[in-house]
Amino acid sequence: MSAFDTIVMVDWSGGNDTGPTPRKDAIWLGVSRGGVSDAPVYLRNRSEAEAWIATLIDAELAQGHRVMVGFDFPFGYPAGFAEALTGSTDPFAVWEWFEARVEDAPKANNRFDLAGEINLGLGDGLGPFWANGLPNRDVTGLPRTKADYTNPFAEKRAAEVQAKGSFTCWQLAGAGAVGSQVVMGLPVLSRLRARFAGRVAVWPFEKPDAPVAFVEVWPSLTVGPAPDEMIKDAWQVQELARQVSALAPAELAQVLDVQAPEEGWILGMGVEHLLKAPPPLRNDCFALPPGVHWTPVDDALEQLRARLHPVLPAEEVRLGDALGRIAAADVLAQRANPPLPNTAVDGYGFAGGRAAGAHALPLAEGRAAAGDAPGRLPAGYAIRVLTGAALPAGVDTVVLQEDVTIVGDTLRFNGPVKQGANTRKAGEDVTAGAVTLAAGRRITAADIALLAATGTASVLVHKQLRVGVLSTGDEIVEAGQTAAEGQIFDANRPMLLGLLAQFGHRGVDLGHVGDDREALRARLDAAQGEVDAILTSGGASAGDEDHVSALLSEAGALDLWRIAVKPGRPLALGMWQGTPVFGLPGNPVAAMVCTLIFARPALARLAGQDWPVPQGFDVPADFSKRKKPGRREYLRARMRDGRVQVFASEGSGRISGLSWAEGLIELPDAAADVQPGDLVRYIPYGSFGVT
């Protein structure tokens, strides 16, 4: 977890006291420890907030804790302002300058007057500050609008230039303005820094290795929309605190590795993906509504889809390493494809179309070939062009070389030739800035071709899902070992590891545990931190030796989903110390079917992929089958001569049927009487991503 024990994020306000009732545009604080956040704290004014923060820091230091406090306003101004204002480039000189001059009471302050004084001293009353927010009083030296406004400094710091959508620190009033927050916030920071002198470091001006670190943040950089029931500011500080506290020490070190000695920097800028790690799953995410006993397949899938979310952070990988990975963000074309107008054929290019009849054009010297920089063709001339060549300026039409004759230096051909013939427009395939790869897509070789063609060299992808596979039961022995009477070889574990590899996940072999509850507990404990999800086979029902179900129940995180499906039915879903566990049936046929139907899409969702729905096809049956209503049934099947066959036996112990089959027949929940020639739904194994 984070190198700091406690993370505090503060949404600041430059305005007056906001009253006793929590509201937006006020001061909100979020506190998180170990990735778990407290409820947001509402504070009505800066005096109350300063006292609250100081008390919290005192309490944390008394317990030997390290604490990071983030404030959502700039810690510095654009380069040159500090020296112009104070005679020093030290940003803390600006803090102390404001601390000595800002007058701040809950219902009134002097920020606009002070800004006007600064403008008169530095910018002839026309800047750098602007936007007087006092409705009934003009302030000498402070423009209300940007009319006649001049700024002797940069409009934005380097951080704001990079942070698209951020506001300049010079604007003091108006929607989204942060200028007043800086003026009214820096004095508070200066006093807190003095109060905890020797125990606080201000990043990035100082190395953040003290017990307390102050950092500048911008929640909108990494925090998405707030839930409907929450105030945006409250949600953002709560979620940002969680994001930072969930960082591993090495990740936090990467976030803090910044050089910005005068202007300051926004925490996470440039490495946003490190902060966007998804929240952990809840222990009750698999809980079924009260009174639910048998769950139809479609309902089970919909509930899994609604309750699961990606659990993996993102990382950037080279395009050559992206095959099979899952895009964590939309990828935009860096340039158009094709980047320039070009010719689709070998021939001769010129300007404009030609009517019916004979035509002659003088030939310009040289030619245009693929890879050449486009030149310019003199008006009235034609030029030799080769397939793929960028069209020279003055060329918009190409005539095929087979349709022309060359007489000396003259091109001759017969019309009509339509303007634009045999050419490709710039961006007719993909325009610059268009989405070439959507977040949630598993990247294919064809995707890599498109990304490369549009200038993408690296892709932000989710880290690969690590899925542990564990077999249980005294009756199980490893293939190759000696099996006693009554024992069977473990077919599930190698099968499941193979399926996971084809799904694109990294299977982790957790081995085999007999019917020993404490040994199973120890194996699950040992897997923590090594896997992101666990598949078990066997022990998932409610019998005396069903230890997977018993342990998950004991942990208070078990839901035994009795799904109306054949083969299968009991599916134990639960959490073990924050890791989702899918307890599959012990029968290999049922284990494979439940993996394909339920575990595959659930794991894909955990891995960051869009929820995959297998493509089925209505094909004629080559069999007879009568089924009762109440359960969905899956039959091992394969296509031959345009019809679908089913395995000779439906026995769930007939493992040979899995190998014989090339897909599954899905029979509906309702009663069915299938006769040869009737259309049935066939799902090839390939539709599940396996072979």
Side-chain angles (χ1 to χ4, degrees):
M1 303 307 289
S2 171
F4 289 86
D5 302 285
T6 302
I7 305 295
V8 183
M9 292 296 159
V10 185
D11 181 89
W12 201 244
S13 173
N16 294 333
D17 187 290
T18 51
T21 303
R23 47 164 283 187
K24 65 179 183 178
D25 299 326
I27 298 175
W28 286 93
L29 291 91
V31 180
S32 185
R33 299 173 178 86
V36 179
S37 295
D38 296 342
V41 178
Y42 167 75
L43 297 167
R44 57 188 294 174
N45 58 56
R46 287 177 293 279
S47 176
E48 188 175 296
E50 182 177 347
W52 194 97
I53 294 168
T55 300
L56 179 137
I57 293 174
D58 277 329
E60 295 292 327
L61 293 177
Q63 297 179 65
H65 292 170
R66 297 192 69 211
V67 57
M68 173 186 285
V69 188
F71 298 85
D72 75 330
F73 58 82
F75 283 10
Y77 284 90
F81 178 74
E83 186 171 13
L85 184 70
T86 69
S88 170
T89 59
D90 183 359
F92 296 129
V94 177
W95 291 24
E96 294 165 358
W97 192 95
F98 277 113
E99 181 190 359
R101 293 165 175 79
V102 167
E103 299 169 4
D104 190 7
K107 292 295 185 180
N109 61 74
N110 67 336
R111 67 186 189 275
F112 296 115
D113 296 287
L114 190 58
E117 293 176 16
I118 295 173
N119 282 359
L120 291 170
L122 300 181
D124 298 327
L126 299 176
F129 292 103
W130 67 280
N132 171 17
L134 299 174
N136 301 314
R137 180 167 68 88
D138 290 334
V139 174
T140 303
L142 181 63
R144 286 193 178 274
T145 68
K146 296 190 78 172
D148 300 323
Y149 168 78
T150 60
N151 191 343
F153 311 103
E155 186 68 12
K156 292 186 174 184
R157 302 178 299 156
E160 278 119 23
V161 172
Q162 184 169 330
K164 304 303 181 185
S166 63
F167 276 69
T168 172
C169 56
W170 304 120
Q171 183 180 346
L172 297 178
V178 299
S180 287
Q181 295 182 29
V182 185
V183 173
M184 305 309 297
L186 292 183
V188 174
L189 292 184
S190 186
R191 285 191 294 271
L192 288 171
R193 181 170 178 261
R195 174 170 178 165
F196 296 101
R199 294 178 291 174
V200 63
V202 179
W203 175 86
F205 309 137
E206 299 170 321
K207 187 176 180 180
D209 54 4
V212 181
F214 290 167
V215 300
E216 177 188 335
V217 299
W218 185 39
S220 295
L221 183 69
T222 60
V223 178
D228 292 340
E229 69 276 9
M230 286 192 70
I231 293 173
K232 175 185 175 182
D233 298 338
W235 157 252
Q236 287 195 326
V237 292
Q238 180 188 54
E239 176 62 9
L240 181 58
R242 184 203 65 77
Q243 289 179 344
V244 176
S245 70
L247 289 173
E251 294 172 328
L252 181 59
Q254 186 177 347
V255 170
L256 294 172
D257 185 15
V258 169
Q259 298 295 320
E262 180 180 350
E263 292 189 339
W265 196 252
I266 298 169
L267 187 78
M269 178 74 69
V271 287
E272 291 88 343
H273 64 280
L274 293 178
L275 288 173
K276 290 182 177 180
L281 293 173
R282 296 168 55 96
N283 259 11
D284 61 354
C285 71
F286 294 126
L288 291 171
V292 172
H293 300 292
W294 286 99
T295 305
V297 170
D298 289 340
D299 290 355
L301 291 173
E302 185 55 40
Q303 290 187 56
L304 288 173
R305 184 174 187 169
R307 297 175 185 190
L308 298 178
H309 61 252
V311 297
L312 297 172
E315 61 182 355
E316 193 153 354
V317 301
R318 296 183 310 109
L319 189 59
D321 297 327
L323 183 65
R325 303 294 294 275
I326 298 168
D330 289 351
V331 180
L332 307 182
Q334 299 302 301
R335 72 170 186 172
N337 184 50
L340 297 170
N342 66 85
T343 174
V345 299
D346 291 340
Y348 294 84
F350 45 84
R354 293 296 186 274
H359 300 277
L361 291 171
L363 276 174
E365 293 184 1
R367 68 177 191 176
D372 291 347
R376 175 173 290 277
L377 181 69
Y381 278 75
I383 188 172
R384 173 71 166 154
V385 294
L386 302 181
T387 302
L391 296 177
V395 174
D396 60 15
T397 304
V398 173
V399 62
L400 285 165
Q401 65 180 18
E402 294 88 349
D403 295 337
V404 307
T405 57
I406 306 297
V407 180
D409 293 331
T410 301
L411 172 75
R412 298 183 181 277
F413 61 94
N414 291 319
V417 178
K418 185 178 180 180
Q419 184 175 15
N422 301 311
T423 63
R424 306 184 186 103
K425 296 179 180 179
E428 72 174 24
D429 180 24
V430 179
T431 58
V435 175
T436 51
L437 188 74
R441 178 176 171 88
R442 186 176 294 279
I443 299 172
T444 66
D447 294 329
I448 289 176
L450 175 60
L451 296 174
T454 50
T456 297
S458 61
V459 187
L460 194 65
V461 298
H462 288 281
K463 289 188 175 181
Q464 195 173 26
L465 191 73
R466 304 165 301 172
V467 185
V469 178
L470 176 64
S471 292
T472 68
D474 286 343
E475 75 279 13
I476 299 296
V477 296
E478 198 82 18
Q481 295 179 348
T482 300
E485 290 188 20
Q487 289 188 312
I488 58 175
F489 294 119
D490 188 355
N492 283 343
R493 204 163 86 250
M495 174 185 70
L496 294 173
L497 288 168
L499 287 173
L500 290 171
Q502 293 191 323
F503 294 161
H505 310 311
R506 182 157 69 86
V508 179
D509 191 347
L510 300 181
H512 162 254
V513 175
D515 291 322
D516 183 329
R517 192 166 302 184
E518 292 311 310
L520 177 60
R521 185 196 307 275
R523 190 67 56 88
L524 292 174
D525 286 344
Q528 298 308 300
E530 302 298 322
V531 298
D532 306 301
I534 297 174
L535 296 182
T536 68
S537 60
S541 192
D544 293 343
E545 299 298 336
D546 289 320
H547 299 293
V548 173
S549 300
L551 278 181
L552 293 175
S553 180
E554 180 183 310
L558 167 75
D559 273 277
L560 194 62
W561 287 27
R562 291 177 176 85
I563 301 174
V565 63
K566 179 184 178 181
R569 289 198 295 184
L571 188 64
L573 300 174
M575 303 288 290
W576 187 261
Q577 298 181 20
T579 301
V581 178
F582 297 81
L584 301 169
N587 183 291
V589 176
M592 181 167 176
V593 170
C594 285
T595 298
L596 295 179
I597 303 301
F598 303 107
R600 170 186 173 254
L603 293 173
R605 183 66 179 140
L606 295 176
Q609 187 179 357
D610 291 337
W611 185 270
V613 178
Q615 176 66 57
F617 304 90
D618 291 337
V619 296
D622 193 27
F623 62 92
S624 299
K625 165 70 177 177
R626 179 174 294 178
K627 73 172 288 288
K628 297 178 181 179
R631 286 197 294 175
R632 186 165 303 182
E633 294 190 18
Y634 292 91
L635 310 178
R636 286 152 284 175
R638 66 186 186 186
M639 287 289 296
R640 290 295 184 271
D641 300 323
R643 293 193 170 211
V644 63
Q645 305 172 347
V646 295
F647 189 58
S649 171
E650 294 182 22
S652 56
R654 298 285 293 272
I655 303 176
S656 62
L658 293 175
S659 178
W660 173 91
E662 296 167 358
L664 299 174
I665 288 292
E666 182 182 61
L667 297 178
D669 302 347
D673 185 2
V674 179
Q675 298 300 321
D678 291 346
L679 294 180
V680 292
R681 187 167 190 256
Y682 173 62
I683 309 174
Y685 282 154
S687 290
F688 295 106
V690 301
T691 55

